[in-house]
Amino acid sequence: MITSDQREKLHGWFAGRLPDDLFEELTEVTVDREEITVIGRIPAPHLAEGVSAVEREAAVEGRIQEFRERTRDTRIAVARDAEHRFRRKVSWGVECGAERALFTHVAAPVMTRLRQPERQVLDTLIAGGVARSRSEALAWCVRLVQRHTDDWLTELRESLENVHRVRAQGPDAEPEEAPKDTE
């Protein structure tokens, strides 16, 4: 579990390490045990008023592709530093207009044991064409839960951070040094 202090330090490190002109804004840095995902805002393409949604979508897609190719070397250099420092893979993404695009990112395998009723849920999703495999069906279920329980998950994460703080104050914690008298 990553604490909010660790997330803030990570966000700060990227904010300081990234070239000022890479993104308009560093919008999000997320982390788990395997991966750090860095997402920044890039400028939307300037288009004439009244262009069709299809043209706007194609222009945004082109802008994202141009950014990805143009900044590849810079992003690789930053990722190498971060991967060495934080011992996690770094993935990148951008927000352009209302669109969000993730570049190559980690898809970590998760092993689980499911009883028959749980397997039947996954198999129903496959039979219904929602997913092509049990793995894909399980990922779909996780996304659905995430979408509908964000507030609850946020509260749970905050509670876990409090548990980590309390544990850090336990009997094995390093005592704080008293301020030294400078007189």
Side-chain angles (χ1 to χ4, degrees):
M1 176 71 193
I2 306 299
T3 66
S4 60
D5 283 348
Q6 291 169 325
R7 270 193 299 277
E8 288 175 15
K9 283 181 183 179
L10 194 65
H11 192 280
W13 186 88
F14 276 97
R17 176 62 179 84
L18 292 173
D20 289 337
D21 62 345
L22 186 65
F23 297 125
E24 286 183 324
E25 174 188 6
L26 179 60
T27 58
E28 188 178 318
V29 177
T30 57
V31 61
D32 66 11
R33 291 186 297 186
E34 292 84 21
E35 175 181 33
I36 299 167
T37 304
V38 180
I39 299 176
R41 178 164 298 289
I42 61 173
H46 299 288
L47 301 170
E49 283 190 42
V51 299
S52 71
V54 172
E55 185 176 342
R56 184 172 307 282
E57 185 179 316
V60 167
E61 185 179 314
R63 175 62 53 92
I64 291 169
Q65 188 63 37
E66 183 278 332
F67 172 86
R68 185 177 185 186
E69 292 170 10
R70 176 176 45 84
T71 64
R72 182 172 279 120
D73 291 340
T74 301
R75 290 182 294 106
I76 287 172
V78 172
R80 279 192 190 124
D81 289 350
E83 288 170 4
H84 177 74
R85 181 181 183 103
F86 302 111
R87 300 199 185 333
R88 290 172 172 85
K89 289 293 185 188
V90 176
S91 300
W92 299 90
V94 294
E95 292 176 352
C96 183
E99 192 70 29
R100 177 180 268 211
L102 290 176
F103 305 154
T104 304
H105 53 283
V106 174
V110 177
M111 301 304 289
T112 186
R113 295 185 186 280
L114 300 175
R115 298 198 188 310
Q116 187 178 37
E118 297 151 340
R119 293 190 310 267
Q120 287 174 333
V121 169
L122 300 181
D123 292 343
T124 300
L125 292 172
I126 294 166
V130 173
R132 291 177 293 196
S133 66
R134 284 182 171 174
S135 175
E136 193 175 291
L138 187 57
W140 183 89
C141 291
V142 169
R143 287 190 303 274
L144 183 65
V145 169
Q146 179 186 16
R147 184 176 306 132
H148 293 291
T149 59
D150 271 344
D151 293 339
W152 182 82
L153 289 172
T154 298
E155 189 175 333
L156 181 61
R157 287 183 188 111
E158 289 169 358
S159 296
L160 288 170
E161 286 181 24
N162 191 41
V163 167
H164 286 287
R165 272 194 298 277
V166 171
R167 281 186 186 151
Q169 297 168 0
D172 296 333
E174 294 288 323
E176 291 185 25
E177 284 188 32
K180 293 183 181 178
D181 194 13
T182 56
E183 293 182 48

